[in-house]
Amino acid sequence: MAVAQMYPRDQRKAMDRILNACARPTLAEKAQYAFARGGQEITGPSIRLAETIAQGWGHLQYGMRELSNVGGASEVEAYCWDLESNVRKSIQFTVSHVRNTKKGSYALTDSRDIYENVANNGARRVRACILAIVPGDVVEAAEQACEQTLRAKVDISPERIAKLLEAFAAFGVDKEAIEKKIQRRMDSILPAQVVSLGRIYNSLRDGMSKPHEWFDVATEAPKVPEDVANLNDLAKAAAEKRAKA
C-alpha cells in the first residue's frame, strides 16, 4: 500500500494500457456477455474484460479466498482492494459442493471438482468487486473500444461459423435453433449477429444465463426402449387378468 501511495497511478497511461488491450481481437471477442431481461438483451463487461481493466488500471489487489469448508459447502470471499485510495469492496457467499445437471443434482467429493465449482462461482463475484472499484467511465470506454474492434475485424468466414456452431453445440444448441433466432441461414449471417452470438456464448460459458433463455431449445421426453415398453405392456395385461379372476 505504501508503494502504491508513493507512486500513484498515471490515469492517462493506465487508460492507454486498457484501450490498447481492447484493440486485440482475441480479447474483444470475450469482452462482453449478454443476458435476457424483460424480453431485452442486456450486455455488460465479462470476467475477462474486468480482469484486463484491473491489470491496466494498476495498484489493485483482487481475487477470492475460502473462509471455511465444512458441511458440504464453502464460505468464500471475493474482493478488490485499491491500494492507492485504500478503498475495498468484498462479497461473501456460500457455494454448496453440489453439481446440478439435467438429470438431477449430485454431491461433489473430488477436491478438483470442488475447487472448480468454487472458482466458477467466485469469478462472477470478483468481477462485481472490480467493477465496483474501477471508475464507471473507464469501464464504459473499454467496452466501447472492444465493440469497435469487433465491428472492424469480425470474422464471418465458413471456418469461423463452424467454430461458432461447435461452441454452441456444447450447450445443446444446434444450428437450427441459432438460425431460428437470427432469422436467416448461417451462411448469410451478418457481422453484427456474430458479435451478438459471441456475447451470448460468453454469457453461457460464464454461467450468467441458460440456453433456453436465448434459444428455442426442444426438451423432448426420453424415449422408452422397445423391450421395456413390451415388458410394461405384459405387466399391465397380467395385472388386468388378475383383477378379472
Side-chain angles (χ1 to χ4, degrees), residues 69-218:
N69 184 342
V70 293
S74 294
E75 291 289 333
V76 187
E77 180 187 44
Y79 63 90
C80 181
W81 184 14
D82 189 330
L83 300 176
E84 182 180 323
S85 63
N86 197 27
V87 175
R88 190 175 189 273
K89 171 67 176 179
S90 65
I91 301 174
Q92 292 189 10
F93 56 99
T94 302
V95 181
S96 298
H97 300 165
V98 175
R99 178 162 293 162
N100 299 315
T101 68
K102 293 181 179 179
K103 297 181 180 180
S105 303
Y106 62 92
L108 298 176
T109 56
D110 183 76
S111 59
R112 181 180 179 85
D113 291 338
I114 293 173
Y115 167 79
E116 291 178 349
N117 188 40
V118 172
N120 289 337
N121 281 274
R124 296 193 293 273
R125 275 78 172 191
V126 172
R127 178 184 69 89
C129 291
I130 292 173
L131 298 181
I133 294 296
V134 178
D137 60 318
V138 174
V139 177
E140 291 176 5
E143 288 187 274
Q144 292 173 3
C146 288
E147 183 78 17
Q148 292 173 359
T149 300
L150 277 181
R151 294 193 180 280
K153 300 183 179 181
V154 63
D155 182 8
I156 56 173
S157 65
E159 293 78 11
R160 166 61 174 161
I161 301 305
K163 289 182 180 179
L164 190 66
L165 291 173
E166 182 180 353
F168 275 103
F171 294 96
V173 180
D174 58 16
K175 179 181 178 181
E176 182 180 352
I178 296 176
E179 289 180 335
K180 186 174 182 179
K181 178 175 179 59
I182 65 175
Q183 296 294 300
R184 62 174 59 232
R185 299 192 314 274
M186 289 299 293
D187 57 10
S188 62
I189 192 170
L190 300 174
Q193 291 174 322
V194 173
V195 173
S196 179
L197 288 173
R199 291 186 187 131
I200 294 174
Y201 171 74
N202 292 337
S203 176
L204 297 176
R205 181 198 60 202
D206 293 342
M208 302 297 294
S209 63
K210 302 293 183 182
H212 67 81
E213 297 177 23
W214 300 104
F215 304 97
D216 185 10
V217 181

Side-chain angles (χ1 to χ4, degrees), residues 7-82:
Y7 302 97
R9 70 174 61 87
D10 185 323
Q11 294 192 7
R12 288 187 178 181
K13 290 183 178 179
M15 196 70 222
D16 287 343
R17 287 195 296 268
I18 294 171
L19 295 180
N20 286 337
C22 293
R24 302 198 312 268
T26 50
L27 172 63
E29 289 177 355
K30 303 174 182 177
Q32 290 184 309
Y33 70 90
F35 63 92
R37 177 182 292 170
Q40 295 183 340
E41 180 178 306
I42 309 298
T43 63
S46 68
I47 296 167
R48 304 294 169 264
L49 180 57
E51 291 174 342
T52 299
I53 292 172
Q55 293 164 7
W57 194 241
H59 293 337
L60 297 181
Q61 282 188 1
Y62 59 91
M64 57 183 164
R65 61 193 183 103
E66 189 176 53
L67 304 177
S68 66
N69 184 342
V70 293
S74 294
E75 291 289 333
V76 187
E77 180 187 44
Y79 63 90
C80 181
W81 184 14
D82 189 330

